[in-house]
């Protein structure tokens, strides 16, 4: 009478298939300029900017901060892309198949990019706040590299575990909702060992209908390193048990497509102006994110951005697109608050021939 889905411990390989960091046309290859993010939209072809190594990226941005060439809210493309890529690979491995097709996973990638931008802003702000009045540029760079180890070391490892737990839970939730005719209810389960938190132990065996509003906050993960899971069943429902959950885990990733909600500390900005600036600059980074999905169409290939609009996935190349002679690139779809009328930058479809 039951079907159980236990959290997976083994990590799956991350998806591959990213196109080269170049454009091609008429038999020629041209490198992508890294100097103008928005100008990249005018280029035809596949756009992927490979982020620099952490040490190189931190040294570059630290020098720019020290010289006043950028402000923390300007963000740094290398740092944002590397943070996003680390989190996204982990989420993709935990979700498994259809990570690049499912609309909930698409919302999760949006959230991961916003989180990456917010985290880089907070990291750069921490660099600036730690600078001394008479500090030399070299000392400032060393200080920044030392502080960056916390952001990109142990803290990033914790965030990757949270991303994996959320992605796995979201995938399972979608499976539960697709199976509502066979199993009406969900039972809360714990690992049943000494490491289970007392607040989670009281939830053991609680059964609620799949559509019960309680699952909006009680669906695991319910804290750092939470190992709880849900089990489908047709056993009768029980009374709802309420517990205190940390604000950043008080949501259901499978229902809202969110990994890090608004209670995450990185989303705390000093004012609205900074918040909107970080939002806009994070959205711009989507044009440089990986093309994680590759579709084969005979001898042709279609490269799809991690942030492509779902409507673009049904788009057909124009008739002049010669069979076997090109590739199509479906670019990112972003929203920018500064676009007051539409608030949207529609996806850019690029057709490249001459391959």
């Amino acid at each position: 009478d039951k079907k159980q889905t236990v959290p997976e411990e083994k990590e799956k390989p991350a998806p591959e298939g990213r196109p080269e960091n170049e454009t091609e046309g008429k038999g020629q290859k041209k490198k992508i300029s890294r100097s103008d993010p928005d100008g990249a939209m005018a280029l035809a072809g596949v756009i992927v900017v490979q982020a620099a190594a952490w040490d190189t990226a931190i040294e570059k941005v630290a020098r720019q901060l020290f010289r006043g060439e950028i402000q923390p809210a300007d963000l740094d493309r290398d740092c944002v892309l590397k943070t996003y890529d680390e989190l996204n690979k982990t989420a993709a491995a935990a979700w498994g198949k259809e990570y690049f097709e499912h609309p909930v996973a698409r919302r999760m990638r949006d959230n991961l990019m916003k989180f990456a931008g917010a985290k880089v802003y907070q990291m750069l702000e921490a660099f600036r706040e730690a600078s001394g009045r008479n500090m030399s540029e070299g000392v400032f760079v060393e200080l920044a590299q030392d502080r960056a180890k916390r952001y990109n070391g142990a803290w990033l490892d914790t965030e990757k575990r949270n991303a994996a737990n959320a992605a796995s839970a979201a995938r399972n939730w979608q499976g539960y909702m697709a199976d509502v005719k066979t199993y009406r209810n969900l039972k809360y389960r714990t690992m049943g060992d000494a490491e289970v938190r007392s607040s989670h132990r009281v939830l053991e065996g609680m059964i609620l209908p799949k559509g019960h509003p309680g699952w909006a906050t009680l669906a695991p993960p319910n804290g750092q390193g939470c190992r709880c899971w849900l089990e489908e069943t047709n056993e009768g429902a029980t009374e709802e048990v309420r517990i205190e959950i940390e604000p950043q885990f008080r949501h259901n990733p499978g229902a809202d497509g969110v990994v890090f909600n608004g209670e995450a500390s990185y989303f705390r900005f000093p004012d609205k102006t900074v918040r909107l600036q970080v939002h806009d600059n994070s959205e711009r980074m989507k044009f440089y994110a990986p093309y994680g999905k590759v579709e084969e169409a005979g001898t042709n290939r279609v490269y799809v951005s991690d942030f492509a609009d779902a409507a673009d996935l049904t788009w057909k190349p124009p008739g002049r697109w010669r069979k076997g002679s090109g590739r199509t690139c479906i670019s990112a779809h972003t929203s920018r608050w500064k676009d007051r009328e539409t608030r949207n930058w529609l996806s850019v479809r690029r057709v490249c021939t001459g391959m």
Side-chain angles (χ1 to χ4, degrees):
D1 192 39
K2 304 176 183 178
K3 188 173 76 173
Q4 178 175 326
T5 306
V6 180
E8 299 180 7
E9 297 293 336
K10 187 176 180 181
E11 188 172 276
K12 300 176 183 178
E16 297 179 351
R18 299 180 185 177
E20 303 86 3
N21 177 23
E22 60 185 23
T23 63
E24 297 185 19
K26 298 181 180 180
Q28 296 180 346
K29 296 182 179 181
K30 183 170 64 175
K31 293 183 178 180
I32 302 287
S33 170
R34 299 169 65 96
S35 60
D36 180 13
D38 294 335
M41 292 187 62
L43 295 176
V46 181
I47 296 182
V48 175
V49 176
Q50 301 297 334
W54 275 122
D55 287 346
T56 303
I58 296 300
E59 178 181 356
K60 179 198 70 175
V61 73
R63 294 189 185 281
Q64 290 175 326
L65 274 174
F66 185 87
R67 298 167 185 171
E69 297 171 357
I70 65 168
Q71 297 300 314
D74 295 331
L75 306 184
D76 175 77
R77 184 167 59 197
D78 287 329
C79 292
V80 173
L81 289 181
K82 286 188 69 65
T83 301
Y84 166 77
D85 194 47
E86 293 271 3
L87 296 171
N88 188 51
K89 282 181 178 178
T90 304
W95 181 289
K97 293 181 179 179
E98 298 185 356
Y99 178 72
F100 292 98
E101 291 82 12
H102 203 287
V104 171
R106 169 63 170 81
R107 294 202 297 271
M108 294 180 73
R109 293 194 294 278
D110 270 333
N111 178 251
L112 292 178
M113 183 61 85
K114 289 181 175 68
F115 179 83
K119 177 178 180 177
V120 170
Y121 163 77
Q122 299 292 357
M123 180 178 71
L124 299 185
E125 191 64 50
F127 293 170
R128 188 170 67 172
E129 291 176 355
S131 61
R133 186 172 184 179
N134 297 316
M135 185 177 291
S136 68
E137 182 173 328
V139 172
F140 179 75
V141 170
E142 291 180 4
L143 180 147
Q145 289 178 327
D146 183 64
R147 294 207 166 211
K149 291 176 182 178
R150 288 182 290 178
Y151 284 89
N152 306 319
W155 294 354
L156 180 57
D157 289 341
T158 298
E159 293 149 9
K160 287 165 63 176
R161 286 192 293 270
N162 289 344
N165 285 345
S168 178
R171 176 205 59 200
N172 291 341
W173 182 264
Q174 292 303 310
Y176 302 150
M177 295 302 103
D179 204 20
V180 69
K181 291 184 178 180
T182 305
Y183 296 96
R184 304 185 308 273
N185 302 328
L186 292 171
K187 177 189 285 189
Y188 196 100
R189 301 303 308 274
T190 69
M191 296 300 289
D193 56 27
E195 296 182 10
V196 176
R197 280 161 269 204
S198 58
S199 59
H200 294 192
R201 191 174 293 115
V202 300
L203 295 172
E204 171 66 43
M206 181 187 73
I207 301 175
L208 298 175
K210 288 183 176 180
H212 194 284
W215 293 127
T217 55
L218 291 174
N222 285 322
Q224 295 284 358
C226 176
R227 301 174 296 152
C228 302
W229 75 96
L230 299 177
E231 177 183 287
E232 294 186 293
T233 181
N234 281 323
E235 296 178 65
T238 64
E239 292 292 325
E240 179 184 358
V241 179
R242 305 300 300 177
I243 64 170
E244 189 65 30
I245 300 173
E246 297 173 69
Q248 61 266 39
F249 292 97
R250 203 178 297 152
H251 68 106
N252 182 343
D256 59 25
V258 170
V259 178
F260 302 99
N261 67 12
E263 298 295 331
S265 60
Y266 291 141
F267 288 124
R268 297 170 189 166
F269 302 106
D271 54 53
K272 182 179 180 180
T273 300
V274 171
R275 176 172 62 84
L276 293 180
Q277 188 177 358
V278 172
H279 172 274
D280 282 355
N281 287 328
S282 298
E283 289 291 295
R284 182 183 291 117
M285 301 301 170
K286 290 180 179 179
F287 293 113
Y288 301 93
Y291 283 61
K293 179 179 174 59
V294 181
E295 290 285 355
E296 300 287 345
T299 57
N300 297 317
R301 287 185 175 184
V302 179
Y303 293 90
V304 183
S305 166
D306 286 5
F307 301 99
D309 188 89
D312 286 343
L313 302 183
T314 60
W315 175 72
K316 295 181 179 180
R320 65 178 179 276
W321 195 61
R322 299 191 305 276
K323 182 178 179 181
S325 65
R327 62 185 179 186
T328 301
C329 314
I330 302 181
S331 184
H333 179 102
T334 74
S335 61
R336 300 274 299 279
W337 281 100
K338 63 176 59 177
D339 301 311
R340 298 300 179 185
E341 294 184 1
T342 65
R343 292 186 179 177
N344 288 308
W345 282 5
L346 297 179
S347 298
V348 177
R349 298 155 177 161
R350 304 187 177 93
V351 179
C352 314
T353 60
M355 287 185 64

